[in-house]
Amino acid sequence: MGFLHATTSNKAFIVAIILLLGISMSNGQNSTGAPSIGVCNGRIADDLPSEQDVVTFYQINGIEAMRIYDPNQLTLQALKGTNIQLILGVPNAVLQSLTNPLAATDYVNTNIVSYFPAVKFRYISVGNEVKPTDPESQFVLLAMQNVHNALVSANLHDQIKVSTSVEPSLLGQSYPPSSGVFSEISCPYITPIINFLTSTQSPLLANIYTYFSYIGDTKNIDLCFALFMSPGIVVQDGSLGYQNLFDATLDALYSALEKSGAKDMEIVVSESGWPSAGGMAATLDNARTYYQNLINHVRNGTPKRPGKPIETYLFAMFDENQKGPAATEQHFGLFSPNKQPKYPIKFI
């Protein structure tokens, strides 16, 4: 397939390319006013566009929500006045320092309060994919509490919610989805976090990759089930039928939350994607199929929560040539670093 090239200097030319590719200039919103689809802005690479160019590229593509993984000051400056809603990440390496309330207050004042309301912060993700066995796990809850308290002091706690991004690996059982439950080793870690999120009326953030589930169990997971391409129900769970692995995973997490006493908690899918190269089933066609089907699907909700749009962040905007160790980690981008689209996508 031949790909069109978009330069960084000619905005009109980029718009023409986007229209030619069929990429929508507007993004559907869910019932809370949040965009249903956002895109993660990872920067573990040495060949990416400037922070200002990246933000402009989001605007040109009609992408109304972004996730970043640290308070990159140039990105925050570029986001001012754009109305792009933001998940701001607190890196795992910073968590221990934020167990000090004064340090947390300084962090919030420097990276959030000083940019508000020009930057539309939506969530603060305190830690990403911290596992119960990780050394950082002992710091997550206290860091979350201190960041929240700093937002309370600034009277921003109603507008900006504090959470953390988790993996489905915290589940001890996920099949069928109604049997979803957090594992014994995860419960002492995640249960206090769930209680905190309940008390602050905040969602849980979850990174869901059907790609990794598929390559980890190709004997029992069909590729079509992972790519939203199954022609009919694959998993019958009582009265609920599942045609794709994404819904099954998300509803297993909802079942685990229910069993933890949080039946009304929302889940925001803070990452989901499919690589286009570097490993098993990592092809341009599979990546395009996954992303487009995911975009089309999330407005419909899951079998457990039908009709309720799923706030979802695609991973990621650009390929990142310094990620690893798996080769696939460098190929999750919707675009190449030179802004060349890897395949046509419609954000509808």
Side-chain angles (χ1 to χ4, degrees), residues 162-175:
V162 175
S163 189
T164 189
S165 296
V166 303
E167 293 179 308
S169 64
L170 295 183
L171 295 172
Q173 185 172 341
S174 60
Y175 181 87

Side-chain angles (χ1 to χ4, degrees), residues 292-309:
Q292 191 63 72
N293 287 343
L294 176 63
I295 291 168
N296 295 345
H297 176 76
V298 296
R299 74 187 74 173
N300 301 319
T302 69
K304 183 181 278 288
R305 299 197 176 187
K308 188 172 183 60

Side-chain angles (χ1 to χ4, degrees), residues 59-115:
Q59 293 179 288
I60 291 170
N61 280 280
I63 302 168
E64 298 173 350
M66 175 189 292
R67 179 182 179 185
I68 60 176
Y69 294 85
D70 63 85
N72 180 297
Q73 300 298 300
L74 292 176
T75 297
L76 292 174
Q77 288 286 348
L79 284 168
K80 285 183 174 180
T82 63
N83 289 320
I84 293 173
Q85 299 192 45
L86 183 68
I87 300 180
L88 172 63
V90 175
N92 295 354
V94 178
L95 297 176
Q96 183 174 5
S97 68
L98 299 188
T99 60
N100 180 318
L102 293 178
T105 297
D106 182 65
Y107 191 91
V108 167
N109 286 340
T110 299
N111 300 306
I112 301 171
V113 175
S114 65
Y115 289 98

